[in-house]
Amino acid sequence: MKTVGNDLVRHQLHENRKWYLVLGVLLTLFGLVLLASLPFATLSAVYLFGLLMMIGGVLHFIAAFKIFEGGYRWLWAAFAIFYLIAGYYAFTTPVKTAIVLTSFLAIFLVIAGIVRSINAFIFRPLAGWGWTLFSGVLTFMTGVIILMSPTAPFWVLGMFLAIDILFQGINYLTLASYIKHEVPKSSADV
């Protein structure tokens, strides 16, 4: 019985391999295009943020009046208003939003770098603590560089988005290649 299930999974992987390949190529190309035009990528990230905030606001309103009762209803409605305002702000002032989001990201990286560095010294008796320290220092320095760069709001968010999309594409291409070369089509091929 287990062989039939495994054959079905193998068959499904091979059936979908072409889609993994197409998606991988498209995402990789899109990631490279975004890397070549970081201001456009940053603007895309800001608009995506705004869209997601507005969707979140609508969902909070629905939850406020369909799910919750009493005082909680108004709390959820207040969250909905804040989400909608943030989304509207992102759409109407994308440059200011990029500055704010980049600053938040940089501050988060500085704090995360400090926390990782402290953790490294706490775990100093354990093997590998140096890598944690290296990661903490690198994260801290990245945050500081972003904070000190006056042009960072125009490229940082776009770079993170472009790299994420690029690596997703590479991931799908790797999966398609793995399926082709390593996954047998049936248990008879094993």
Side-chain angles (χ1 to χ4, degrees):
M1 255 329 173
K2 192 172 184 178
T3 306
V4 172
N6 289 342
D7 281 346
L8 183 63
V9 170
R10 288 184 188 112
H11 176 73
Q12 191 66 34
L13 283 171
H14 281 279
E15 281 287 315
N16 292 332
R17 189 182 84 73
K18 64 182 172 252
W19 294 110
Y20 298 139
L21 189 62
V22 168
L23 190 58
V25 168
L26 290 175
L27 286 173
T28 301
L29 289 174
F30 190 56
L32 291 172
V33 167
L34 289 176
L35 274 175
S37 58
L38 290 178
F40 171 74
T42 295
L43 191 62
S44 299
V46 168
Y47 283 137
L48 179 63
F49 170 79
L51 177 67
L52 292 175
M53 292 302 284
M54 287 184 171
I55 290 171
V58 169
L59 292 176
H60 274 82
F61 259 124
I62 292 169
F65 295 104
K66 292 286 188 185
I67 299 173
F68 297 101
E69 297 177 5
Y72 290 114
R73 171 177 289 169
W74 301 110
L75 182 63
W76 280 82
F79 282 134
I81 291 169
F82 290 134
Y83 273 65
L84 288 169
I85 290 171
Y88 176 78
Y89 181 80
F91 273 101
T92 57
T93 58
V95 173
K96 287 182 184 178
T97 302
I99 292 169
V100 169
L101 291 176
T102 302
S103 297
F104 280 147
L105 175 65
I107 291 168
F108 172 78
L109 289 172
V110 167
I111 293 169
I114 292 169
V115 170
R116 283 185 190 159
S117 298
I118 291 170
N119 281 341
F121 286 108
I122 291 172
F123 295 114
R124 189 173 180 181
L126 301 175
W129 74 273
W131 287 109
T132 305
L133 179 61
F134 177 72
S135 170
V137 170
L138 192 63
T139 303
F140 176 81
M141 288 174 48
T142 302
V144 169
I145 289 169
I146 291 171
L147 280 173
M148 294 178 67
S149 172
T151 62
F154 302 107
W155 59 268
V156 168
L157 297 175
M159 183 183 68
F160 278 97
L161 177 65
I163 290 172
D164 180 59
I165 290 173
L166 177 66
F167 278 98
Q168 287 299 318
I170 292 170
N171 184 40
Y172 279 113
L173 290 173
T174 304
L175 177 61
S177 175
Y178 175 79
I179 292 168
K180 180 179 182 181
H181 297 292
E182 300 295 330
V183 177
K185 290 190 178 190
S186 69
S187 59
D189 298 336
V190 177

